[in-house]
Amino acid sequence: MSEQTTKRPIIFSGIQPSGSITLGNYIGAIRNFVLLEKDYDCLFCVVDLHALTTRRIPADLRRQTLELAALYIACGLDPKKNIIYCQSHVPEHAELAWILNCYTYMGELGRMTQFKDKSARHKDNINAGLFTYPTLMAADILLYQTNLVPVGADQKQHLELSRDIAERFNGLYSDTFVIPEPYIPKATAKVYSLTEPERKMSKSDAEDSYIALLDKPDAIRRKFRRAVTDSEANICFDPEHQPGVSNLLSILSALGEGSVQSLVEGFEGKGYGELKDRTAETVITKLQPIQAEFERLMKDKTYLAQVLKENAARAQAQARRTLRKVYKKVGLYQL
Ligand code: TYM
């Protein structure tokens, strides 16, 4: 953040470095980040502490953390204009999360649908971190006095809890946190799985169900060709009855191929094969420059490490201010 821009509203968002970053993450989140950097002071975080809530192979987590930082930049986020950094490099996130845990109720955390989903899927590892995940997310956001949080629709409930926690804390101790607003552009709020189009596209599902940002053209063509559609043989936008076809139309539209309505008109009388091929080719064309830039950046790990180091220091300077205020308000004896 430059000196003359410090009065601009603040944006915070994060992505977990778990598995491959998907087209859902791109359309639902990263793509919107790029549009915001000119009007806001933005922090984009690689939330590696969050990724520990499911079992990770340490070497993979390390690699995916650096890859996600490179992807942020490759997608067009300028690390000089935005703060792109890694959550564990700014320990204030974990410190504030502890405090907020003491102002969050078990009942609230138990109602989180992501907790219910994830604990159903990882029955052998329902750990306390998975349960308190939303308080760490609230800490991420509240540490920076964030005004706006761009996320996909699946994060809305977590964001509402962050607001509740902030309001509760402000109510008890006088104004401390800015109350963050969600920013969820409707048209791109949710990209669905290619194999189960009623579910969101997720990096934790089977590989054929999602497009990874780093997928090669052949894999992208194969996955779209196998995408589940229906037997209507009619290209309509009807998410309830034709979720697979509607998902492909939404993806095309989100990638700049016109409104859903104009796409439906253009596909009149055409088959699903054509819709799938057009979607695949559009995605390949869109991802090609991102992948090329990613490859280039990954060859320069020294540069990436330097960016992460400098940006963590910028983030920490701000985080420290909020945390000191919080410690003081709750009555921790400060030296
Ligand atoms: P994560 O890592 O699951 O996803 C990162 C971002 O991508 C969006 N997203 C999607 N959008 C549309 N369609 C999809 N299929 C899709 N899948 C994922 C998510 O909504 C998210 O915006 N808890 C967060 C990470 C986080 C965070 C934060 C976000 C931690 N702290 C603070 C914002 C602010 C998560 O698991 O996102």
Side-chain angles (χ1 to χ4, degrees), residues 113-309:
T113 51
Q114 186 167 304
F115 170 70
K116 290 190 221 169
D117 281 359
K118 286 208 173 166
S119 47
R121 266 193 283 149
H122 304 277
K123 284 208 170 60
D124 53 336
N125 183 22
I126 307 178
N127 60 69
L130 196 61
F131 190 62
T132 59
Y133 178 115
T135 51
L136 178 57
M137 180 161 160
D140 300 339
I141 297 167
L142 301 180
L143 258 185
Y144 299 98
Q145 307 296 350
T146 302
N147 301 97
L148 210 58
V149 185
V151 280
D154 62 320
Q155 296 299 315
K156 189 161 182 266
Q157 196 188 27
H158 285 160
L159 217 64
E160 278 160 7
L161 180 60
S162 301
R163 288 167 57 89
D164 289 346
I165 297 170
E167 276 166 4
R168 181 171 304 143
F169 194 97
N170 286 354
L172 285 166
Y173 299 105
S174 79
D175 277 356
T176 308
F177 298 120
V178 167
I179 309 297
E181 296 287 337
Y183 175 81
I184 306 176
K186 201 159 177 279
T188 57
K190 204 162 179 178
V191 177
Y192 292 87
S193 155
L194 298 182
T195 49
E196 292 174 82
E198 301 78 19
R199 287 164 56 95
K200 77 162 178 175
M201 181 179 281
S202 168
K203 54 198 164 204
S204 43
D205 288 342
E207 224 183 281
D208 268 1
S209 71
Y210 64 81
I211 301 293
L213 288 197
L214 299 176
D215 272 349
K216 297 272 175 288
D218 282 352
I220 296 175
R221 288 194 188 98
R222 191 192 66 224
K223 289 181 187 181
F224 275 114
R225 238 172 256 143
R226 290 193 192 154
V228 168
T229 47
D230 53 63
S231 52
E232 300 281 327
N234 188 13
I235 298 176
C236 285
F237 187 75
D238 181 353
E240 201 180 322
H241 300 107
Q242 297 185 251
V245 169
S246 303
N247 190 33
L248 299 182
L249 289 167
S250 299
I251 292 173
L252 273 177
S253 178
L255 295 182
E257 295 293 287
S259 69
V260 166
Q261 185 55 36
S262 70
L263 286 165
V264 169
E265 283 163 17
F267 276 109
E268 209 183 314
K270 296 189 174 146
Y272 290 167
E274 239 171 294
L275 173 63
K276 289 176 173 186
D277 287 347
R278 165 101 176 265
T279 315
E281 295 313 315
T282 303
V283 169
I284 290 167
T285 308
K286 191 82 200 171
L287 295 188
Q288 196 275 331
I290 295 174
Q291 294 182 351
E293 181 61 2
F294 172 82
E295 297 299 338
R296 195 187 67 76
L297 287 164
M298 287 303 287
K299 289 197 187 103
D300 196 350
K301 298 212 170 57
T302 315
Y303 165 75
L304 288 173
Q306 188 61 26
V307 163
L308 289 177
K309 196 170 172 193

Side-chain angles (χ1 to χ4, degrees), residues 69-141:
L71 262 179
Y72 273 145
I73 301 170
C75 286
L77 293 171
D78 180 343
K80 289 219 164 7
K81 291 196 188 133
N82 305 286
I83 299 187
I84 294 170
Y85 74 108
C86 183
Q87 188 183 31
S88 67
H89 296 171
V90 181
E92 286 77 3
H93 287 251
E95 291 180 72
L96 182 61
W98 170 255
I99 305 277
L100 298 183
N101 268 331
C102 303
Y103 297 87
T104 308
Y105 298 110
M106 303 283 283
E108 291 177 307
L109 294 171
R111 280 196 290 280
M112 295 292 115
T113 51
Q114 186 167 304
F115 170 70
K116 290 190 221 169
D117 281 359
K118 286 208 173 166
S119 47
R121 266 193 283 149
H122 304 277
K123 284 208 170 60
D124 53 336
N125 183 22
I126 307 178
N127 60 69
L130 196 61
F131 190 62
T132 59
Y133 178 115
T135 51
L136 178 57
M137 180 161 160
D140 300 339
I141 297 167

